[in-house]
């Protein structure tokens, strides 16, 4: 089915381990985003990408790494997980060009717990 | 920089009552504004959006929002709440090619 999928949906890891959250979209949207959702903070932007091989920092990028070698994939890596990175992570995508109103299409989220 | 403030982290209404969720924005340019809804254990889905056309915007599930420039507001309303409306609602403003979200308002609907 077309859409945006995230994996894994649930992940438990330990402090110091590397974790990669995957995001795949089938719409060929140019823009992709990673947000984290924490109680009281809403959604905060971690990183975003305007196209393959173009990425930029958002509001809370520290401790995270992204790459975008293909338009459809936008993995998010926590190189050395910390407890403060326990959160729900959402991937989103949007179109570009003149019709772009900024509307985002979201995946179902990846719930990460760092022990 | 663009930002939004949602007034009230929790709102509780009775089934059949008016729903009013408040959002105020700050933007240096004419804003594009959005309301998203999140049901438990799901991603966010778009309820409605304002893109500088009509100031009263109608969305899905009977929701609507009115853009008021003089008040820098974009409040979300629904005339009659239904149990299925219980969810978390997020207001957002476009900043460049990104969306900036508010902290969210959890709507509880009492029977």
């Amino acid at each position: 089915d077309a859409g945006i999928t995230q994996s894994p949906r649930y992940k438990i890891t330990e402090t110091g381990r590397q974790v990669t959250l995957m995001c795949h979209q089938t719409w060929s949207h140019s823009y992709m985003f990673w947000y984290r959702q924490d109680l009281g903070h809403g959604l905060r932007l971690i990183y975003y990408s305007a196209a393959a091989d173009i990425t930029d920092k958002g509001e809370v990028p520290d401790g995270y790494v992204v790459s975008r070698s293909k338009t459809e994939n936008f993995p998010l890596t926590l190189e050395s997980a910390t407890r403060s990175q326990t959160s729900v992570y959402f991937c989103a995508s949007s179109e570009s060009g003149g019709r772009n109103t900024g509307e985002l299409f979201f995946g179902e989220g990846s719930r990460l717990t760092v022990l | 920089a663009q930002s939004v403030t949602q007034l009230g982290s929790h709102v509780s209404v009775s089934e059949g009552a008016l729903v009013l969720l408040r959002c105020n924005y700050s933007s240096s340019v004419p804003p594009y504004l959005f309301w998203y809804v999140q049901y438990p254990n799901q991603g966010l889905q778009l309820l409605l959006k304002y893109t500088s056309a009509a100031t009263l915007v109608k969305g899905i599930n009977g929701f609507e929002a009115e853009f008021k420039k003089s008040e820098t507001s974009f409040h979300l309303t629904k005339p009659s709440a239904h149990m299925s409306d219980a969810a978390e609602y997020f207001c957002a403003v476009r900043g460049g090619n990104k969306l900036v979200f508010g902290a969210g308002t959890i709507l509880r609907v009492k029977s």
Side-chain angles (χ1 to χ4, degrees), chain A residues 79-99:
Chain A
E79 293 191 304
S80 179
T82 65
R83 290 193 181 89
S84 65
Q85 292 177 309
T86 292
S87 186
V88 182
Y89 292 86
F90 286 98
C91 181
S93 69
S94 73
E95 296 177 303
S96 65
R99 292 170 49 212

Side-chain angles (χ1 to χ4, degrees), chain A residues 2-74:
Chain A
I4 185 165
T5 55
Q6 295 182 232
S7 62
R9 292 291 312 280
Y10 302 91
K11 176 74 176 179
I12 300 174
T13 191
E14 295 178 336
T15 301
R17 291 193 180 267
Q18 183 178 80
V19 176
T20 295
L21 306 179
M22 305 300 294
C23 179
H24 175 79
Q25 54 109 350
T26 60
W27 289 305
S28 298
H29 285 169
S30 295
Y31 286 87
M32 295 188 75
F33 307 82
W34 275 107
Y35 287 86
R36 59 178 289 174
Q37 182 180 21
D38 303 288
L39 196 62
H41 291 279
L43 279 79
R44 292 180 291 176
L45 183 64
I46 305 170
Y47 269 97
Y48 67 103
S49 169
D53 298 322
I54 301 175
T55 62
D56 208 346
K57 296 179 180 179
E59 182 184 355
V60 289
D62 293 343
Y64 302 95
V65 175
V66 294
S67 63
R68 191 148 177 228
S69 58
K70 293 183 178 181
T71 300
E72 61 267 29
N73 297 325
F74 191 40

